[in-house]
Amino acid sequence: MKALAALIAVAALFGSVQLFYSGGGEGRTADESAQSPGDYKLVANGDEASCAVKRGTEVAHGLSLLTVTANCRRVLPGIERAKFWREQDDGTVTFSANGIDPIVTFGVADGHGYESYAPALPLLSLAASSD
């Protein structure tokens, strides 16, 4: 009887570890959310203004270096200070100057890419560059 109880405890522990590392089965899978470094196009309000951003190498789990071109200030003033791309387990992405405090926050868009929701205006879209 003790062996059966120990086996159940081990199975429960193993299952909880798997659940923890898989993110609880909510949101996107690791393969879907893990974006590789690359070039992106940032667009404000349906092509009013656009610029290029580049996601660089990952420096910590979910935190990557970010290069924002100087003309991005036409898209969103202050975004040119962004140096980090942070992707959360739920798929949201933030750009920040210090890796913590977001300048802009994006959610996963319908289809490919991201749409901003903070700040509320201007509405920004972010998609992988096809160049």
Side-chain angles (χ1 to χ4, degrees), residues 51-54 66-70 72 79-83 95:
C51 65
V53 299
K54 182 173 182 71
L66 178 68
T67 303
V68 177
T69 57
C72 282
I79 199 168
E80 71 277 5
R81 296 185 330 259
K83 302 291 181 220
F95 290 0

Side-chain angles (χ1 to χ4, degrees), residues 28 39 48 55-56 81 109 124-125:
R28 298 185 302 167
D39 297 321
E48 284 182 18
R55 182 178 184 181
R81 296 185 330 259
L124 305 174
S125 65

Side-chain angles (χ1 to χ4, degrees), residues 14 19 22 25 37 45 52 62 65:
F14 179 75
L19 187 63
S22 70
N45 293 334
L65 297 176

Side-chain angles (χ1 to χ4, degrees), residues 50-125:
S50 67
C51 65
V53 299
K54 182 173 182 71
R55 182 178 184 181
T57 57
E58 188 172 59
V59 294
H61 179 69
L63 184 67
S64 300
L65 297 176
L66 178 68
T67 303
V68 177
T69 57
N71 67 335
C72 282
R73 73 178 141 261
R74 292 181 305 139
V75 176
L76 178 66
I79 199 168
E80 71 277 5
R81 296 185 330 259
K83 302 291 181 220
F84 296 97
W85 168 306
R86 179 175 297 280
E87 186 161 0
Q88 303 294 331
D89 290 338
D90 65 358
T92 58
V93 169
T94 59
F95 290 0
S96 67
N98 60 7
I100 299 169
D101 303 313
I103 295 170
V104 62
T105 303
F106 298 92
V108 178
D110 294 338
H112 299 289
Y114 302 90
E115 291 181 348
S116 67
Y117 62 86
L121 292 174
L123 179 63
L124 305 174
S125 65

Side-chain angles (χ1 to χ4, degrees), residues 13-60:
L13 179 62
F14 179 75
S16 64
V17 168
Q18 291 298 319
L19 187 63
F20 175 77
Y21 282 108
S22 70
E26 297 176 10
R28 298 185 302 167
T29 65
D31 289 342
E32 291 173 325
S33 65
Q35 297 288 322
S36 60
D39 297 321
Y40 291 82
K41 183 177 181 181
L42 183 64
V43 180
N45 293 334
D47 287 333
E48 284 182 18
S50 67
C51 65
V53 299
K54 182 173 182 71
R55 182 178 184 181
T57 57
E58 188 172 59
V59 294

